[in-house]
Amino acid sequence: MKTLRVRDLMSTDLVTLSASETLDLAEEVMKLARIRHLPVTSGGRLVGLVTHRDLLRASVSVLAGIDDRTREEMMREIPVADIMNREVETISPDAQLSEAAITLLEHKWGCLPVVDGDQELVGILTEADFLKLIARILVETEAENADDDEDDDWESGLFDDEGDDDDDEDDEDDEDDEDDEE
């Protein structure tokens, strides 16, 4: 099997913002594009990142007693530059995909912007990209094993309750607790 690279999985159909655009636009773009990460660029170069979580943190809560119209007006006034993360970890399109996966897992990040040698944004790699890869591998594996009887035997016992005494023990403990209460 060939070594998978970031370029093999990254999304290249990018939606970006400039630092001067406002939070209401960022919120609307995320909603319409159904994304949670927005790279912020200047001249094609990555200068920051705004996430859905950043927007939630910056938005005024209903609990503050502010009506929707006032909240929207406030969001129209605040530039993305005020809340974006400027110290964004990036990865090269030539990096091994395993390196990217480990980086995301270790830091609990949802994405890694992909930049070339000139620091130009060329893609983004997200958790969703990895889920698509896993789904594709699982579908291919299941198709290859569709006629394999051994796999069918293994799967048939996977969710059986036979031999699972934990539930019975818990039930007995519950009954003992009820006796103690009387």
Side-chain angles (χ1 to χ4, degrees), residues 63-100:
L63 298 174
I66 296 175
D67 61 65
D68 286 345
R69 191 169 139 241
T70 304
R71 179 192 168 282
E72 289 169 8
E73 288 173 8
M74 293 172 71
M75 295 291 276
R76 276 195 292 269
E77 299 296 320
I78 303 170
V80 167
D82 286 0
I83 69 161
M84 72 181 187
N85 180 356
R86 295 173 190 277
E87 295 179 22
V88 181
E89 184 80 22
T90 62
I91 197 159
S92 163
D94 297 320
Q96 289 186 5
L97 203 50
S98 59
E99 176 189 342

